[in-house]
Amino acid sequence: MTHKNFKNIDRVTYGRGSFSQLGETIAPIRSENNRYFVYIIDQYFHGKDLHARLQNQPEDLIYYIDVDPHEPTTEQIDQLRDKILSEKGLPSGVIGIGGGSIMDIAKAISSMLTNEGSSTLYQGLNLIKKAGVYHLGVPTISGTGAEVSMTAVLTGPEKKLGLKCDWTVFNQVILDPELIASVPTDWWFYAGMDTYIHCIESHNGIRNNAFSLAYGDQALHLCREVYLNEKAGQSPDNDDILMVASLMGGLSLTYSEVGVCHALSYGLSKIHGTRHCYANCLIFQHLEDIYPQGVKEFKEMIRKHKIELPQNVSKDWDEATLDKMATVSYNLPFMWQHAFGDNYKEIATMDYIKDLFRRL
Ligand SMILES: [Fe+2]
């Protein structure tokens, strides 16, 4: 087994109100390249008070992006990259403000600004040839771990797979719990459960180790405070905790691997466009035989927060659809190997994966 050599985020600012330090944080970088910054912001914040707090300069480009219709695509990244370069040339850096999809877009744009051709050429590990521009992430919803991961997940015509290398990792993140206060309850739950599932999957597999377990145990402890214990629920104190849980859950899986739920989730999202965190929740509830303790606790949290997850969604899927979904999931061997061990191919067959999807 090859041991991972993970590039961590260069710098982290954490704390209530820390977003106000954005301007001074990026000031030294402004002398690089064509001396301007690109802001990539979730459309949700358009016209809201955050706009007045961006600390941008007149030369900066600001793009509000609607991430609701679909998860980031390779086509979307290529178009935005071409637009930025034709408008003002190479920026000093890219700032992403939003949820997991905006984090992914900021990471991908940073690398694609300096690497020629379509982003489909770079979907995979270490395929990017040149360092991207400086990039900074400001999460406004916590749970996906996208702020800390190497991966910029993109859906392409062929596959849903991340751009992933040392240069995709953020140079800086600013974790300001005040920014996640306005997340609607259902998405607060789904995104937080992404972290919870990261930890359960990271723990239950052959790649876990003292490093991933230490981060994962702590993240699970924090998730229980936010979603299960007597003070559970959306509150400023829990927002402080959830931001750290997301980061630590991401670090746990970085040193280990995700598992069955994420492998299936990629298949569901690629074929049906289901959002990552929501797809995980739809699937995880049916994996009691694979992750018994995790699913039991997950269901307690579902009950506590009165979350309704749809049932019998698979009734509308024909064989051809199930084949397409299973093919995407089957082609994530690292996840199956981690979950089932080195003889995973004997267990995770196409038929087995299709049967898992039929549970939904
Ligand atoms: Fe995830």
Side-chain angles (χ1 to χ4, degrees):
M1 191 187 281
T2 315
H3 297 284
K4 292 190 176 182
N5 186 8
F6 175 59
K7 163 80 167 52
N8 217 324
I9 315 162
D10 294 340
R11 306 184 74 100
V12 181
T13 308
Y14 169 78
R16 302 207 141 252
S18 58
F19 182 61
S20 65
Q21 291 170 219
L22 173 64
E24 63 190 81
T25 304
I26 60 173
I29 316 292
R30 282 196 176 272
S31 57
E32 290 181 15
N33 303 324
N34 286 0
R35 296 169 174 262
Y36 79 100
F37 267 89
V38 174
Y39 284 71
I40 295 169
I41 308 172
D42 191 321
Q43 174 72 29
Y44 171 83
F45 292 106
H46 192 65
K48 301 232 163 68
D49 20 318
L50 186 92
H51 186 82
R53 300 174 54 211
L54 293 177
Q55 302 152 72
N56 56 304
Q57 298 292 325
E59 62 271 23
D60 295 342
L61 292 178
I62 299 176
Y63 296 101
Y64 282 97
I65 294 182
D66 186 1
V67 292
D68 271 342
H70 51 72
E71 300 208 309
T73 65
T74 49
E75 195 189 1
Q76 179 186 18
I77 296 299
D78 297 348
Q79 283 173 359
L80 183 57
R81 180 262 320 263
D82 294 345
K83 200 169 158 191
I84 292 168
L85 288 177
S86 68
E87 240 172 281
K88 300 196 87 150
L90 199 62
S92 311
V94 175
I95 298 162
I97 305 174
S101 290
I102 292 287
M103 297 294 108
D104 286 341
I105 294 171
K107 286 193 271 188
I109 286 289
S110 155
S111 284
M112 291 312 301
L113 282 165
T114 55
N115 287 273
E116 290 84 24
S118 167
S119 49
T120 54
L121 299 170
Y122 305 103
Q123 282 180 286
L125 180 62
N126 292 333
L127 300 177
I128 292 170
K129 310 265 186 316
K130 293 176 221 163
V133 299
Y134 173 94
H135 50 306
L136 182 154
V138 184
T140 59
I141 178 166
S142 279
T144 66
E147 65 277 21
V148 68
S149 84
M150 294 171 86
T151 315
V153 185
L154 298 181
T155 304
E158 308 278 313
K159 49 199 168 190
K160 179 177 174 184
L161 193 62
L163 313 183
K164 187 172 181 181
C165 71
D166 285 1
W167 296 312
T168 39
V169 182
F170 278 117
N171 298 104
Q172 167 92 49
V173 293
I174 296 180
L175 303 176
D176 183 345
E178 284 178 3
L179 297 180
I180 65 169
S182 60
V183 175
T185 304
D186 48 352
W187 284 100
W188 164 81
F189 186 84
Y190 303 141
M193 287 305 104
D194 194 12
T195 287
Y196 181 80
I197 296 167
H198 289 157
C199 299
I200 298 296
E201 293 193 314
S202 161
H203 279 23
N204 290 280
I206 59 169
R207 280 188 168 263
N208 82 35
N209 53 61
F211 208 117
S212 72
L213 288 167
Y215 278 118
D217 279 341
Q218 185 60 26
L220 281 173
H221 166 73
L222 298 176
C223 282
R224 287 177 189 122
E225 286 197 34
V226 175
Y227 294 100
L228 206 56
N229 293 352
E230 61 276 17
K231 287 186 180 165
Q234 277 178 291
S235 69
D237 282 351
N238 282 343
D239 287 343
D240 288 358
I241 294 170
L242 184 57
M243 277 208 126
V244 180
S246 176
L247 189 88
M248 290 197 163
L251 286 169
S252 177
L253 77 87
T254 295
Y255 285 92
S256 175
E257 186 56 76
V258 286
V260 177
C261 185
H262 273 71
L264 297 175
S265 175
Y266 274 48
L268 181 62
S269 294
K270 168 77 180 110
I271 305 306
H272 299 283
T274 317
R275 309 288 314 177
H276 175 71
C277 305
Y278 184 57
N280 282 346
C281 290
L282 288 182
I283 294 161
F284 195 62
Q285 59 178 332
H286 299 294
L287 301 182
E288 208 145 18
D289 51 335
I290 302 169
Y291 303 112
Q293 278 309 109
V295 175
K296 188 168 166 271
E297 198 169 54
F298 172 75
K299 287 185 173 173
E300 284 175 44
M301 296 189 276
I302 289 265
R303 276 193 294 275
K304 189 170 179 83
H305 299 287
K306 301 185 173 61
I307 301 291
E308 301 259 355
L309 289 174
Q311 306 296 321
N312 299 320
V313 287
S314 66
K315 68 179 189 312
D316 299 326
W317 301 337
D318 57 17
E319 268 314 291
T321 305
L322 283 166
D323 268 325
K324 280 192 241 168
M325 296 164 70
T327 302
V328 175
S329 302
Y330 182 81
N331 287 320
L332 296 163
F334 287 114
M335 299 182 194
W336 296 108
Q337 185 188 33
H338 170 63
F340 293 145
D342 289 328
N343 65 341
Y344 69 96
K345 282 185 184 158
E346 289 163 28
I347 303 167
T349 60
M350 280 290 286
D351 282 337
Y352 174 80
I353 296 170
K354 284 201 280 184
D355 274 342
L356 290 179
F357 277 125
R358 286 191 187 95
R359 294 181 182 187
L360 267 69

